[in-house]
Amino acid sequence: MNTILEVNSVEKSYGNSQVINHCSFKVQQGEIYGLLGINGAGKTTLMKMILGLQKTDRGTIRVLDKERGEDWEYLANIGSMIEIPVFYEHLTAFEILSMHLALMGKKGNITETLVLVGLENVGKKSVSAYSLGMRQRLGIARAIIHSPKLLILDEPLNGLDPVAITEMREVMRKLTARGMSILLSSHMVGEIRHTADRIGILSGGYIKQEFSVAEQEAESDEKFEDYVINYMRRDGK
């Protein structure tokens, strides 16, 4: 299996506060890797460093075998939705995706992408009429319209109702079935348990524990949530 993303001993501090500390993990082709941690654990900071939006203090980040900062062309193969997606409210989904492709200098099938994320019937409605779940799906559509190899999603399930969460999971599974890799962050144990293939628990600035969801569920005598929360604690052993 090919390694799409490799984070190796990355560090990041803000003043005297070290947010990321010797953090290392890998994301393989076609998998959903869940980055799990409490609010403030550094998940968003880590994702922004991968995207080149923040500098690293130390360590290396490689995407598609290209080192971050060495060759920024790798960004063309990444799609991302960091925090809450923002749109021009008066535009339609078609117009937003067309504008995004034009800005990137890329080509993409807008109709096919809207079908994939379940927005085919509202593609010509202005975003101002969209629910939170619809906006999240449009955020993913914008992130994948250029067919990236790596998709980075920061807390995409926040605030969604159970139906919308299920639909978002279905979209992510369709994408990985096509060979796309997904790095997904969340602080919700139950949701990421049912979404990710592998989980890395970010605590104390590094991946404190990493495991396959299926294997952990089969092997552990401890309740899954209790097992994970123990590692999410800053003083967890």
Side-chain angles (χ1 to χ4, degrees):
M1 189 175 291
N2 294 331
T3 298
I4 300 299
L5 168 67
E6 182 175 0
V7 176
N8 186 30
S9 298
V10 167
E11 298 183 18
K12 179 66 178 179
S13 297
Y14 296 105
N16 295 323
S17 177
Q18 187 162 22
V19 180
I20 303 298
N21 181 21
H22 293 287
C23 183
S24 300
F25 66 95
K26 296 179 181 180
V27 178
Q28 307 296 340
Q29 183 178 2
E31 77 167 346
I32 300 176
Y33 187 99
L35 193 61
L36 181 63
I38 62 173
N39 290 330
K43 301 185 297 296
T44 300
T45 296
L46 197 50
M47 289 181 159
K48 286 182 176 179
M49 287 193 290
I50 295 168
L51 291 166
L53 299 175
Q54 290 189 0
K55 294 181 178 180
T56 58
D57 294 336
R58 295 179 186 82
T60 59
I61 296 173
R62 297 183 69 85
V63 181
L64 299 170
D65 212 28
K66 297 288 186 180
E67 187 167 331
R68 176 192 179 279
E70 183 180 87
D71 183 354
W72 293 105
E73 290 184 5
Y74 77 82
L75 291 174
N77 284 307
I78 298 180
S80 65
M81 186 172 73
I82 302 295
E83 299 171 335
I84 300 173
V86 177
F87 308 101
Y88 291 109
E89 295 287 312
H90 63 287
L91 296 181
T92 67
F94 267 95
E95 292 169 333
I96 286 169
L97 296 181
S98 295
M99 183 174 65
H100 187 69
L101 285 171
L103 288 171
M104 293 190 70
K106 295 280 188 176
K107 294 181 179 180
N109 190 318
I110 294 175
T111 299
E112 181 182 287
T113 301
L114 290 175
V115 169
L116 178 63
V117 300
L119 294 177
E120 65 272 20
N121 295 324
V122 293
K124 295 184 179 179
K125 287 186 177 181
S126 65
V127 176
S128 61
Y130 279 25
S131 66
L132 176 58
M134 293 164 68
R135 288 169 182 263
Q136 293 289 80
R137 289 199 291 274
L138 180 56
I140 290 183
R142 184 170 61 184
I144 66 172
I145 186 65
H146 60 297
S147 300
K149 295 181 179 179
L150 173 64
L151 178 61
I152 296 177
L153 301 176
D154 185 22
E155 303 274 7
L157 305 178
N158 272 6
L160 300 185
D161 60 49
V163 173
I165 288 174
T166 299
E167 291 173 348
M168 287 285 284
R169 285 197 197 113
E170 291 172 353
V171 169
M172 285 187 265
R173 286 299 172 193
K174 289 177 182 177
L175 294 173
T176 55
R178 296 182 176 193
M180 193 178 296
S181 304
I182 299 177
L183 175 62
L184 163 76
S185 77
S186 181
H187 63 273
M188 300 184 292
V189 178
E191 300 308 333
I192 207 166
R193 172 186 184 180
H194 296 295
T195 305
D197 299 305
R198 285 194 302 133
I199 290 177
I201 301 174
L202 184 64
S203 181
Y206 66 98
I207 300 298
K208 185 166 285 187
Q209 179 71 307
E210 184 181 75
F211 53 84
S212 158
V213 173
E215 290 177 1
Q216 179 56 40
E217 289 179 331
E219 294 176 5
S220 179
D221 293 329
E222 192 174 4
K223 286 185 178 179
F224 186 91
E225 287 79 4
D226 293 340
Y227 175 86
V228 171
I229 289 172
N230 178 56
Y231 280 100
M232 287 174 70
R233 299 180 192 277
R234 291 186 181 275
D235 59 345
K237 302 299 182 181

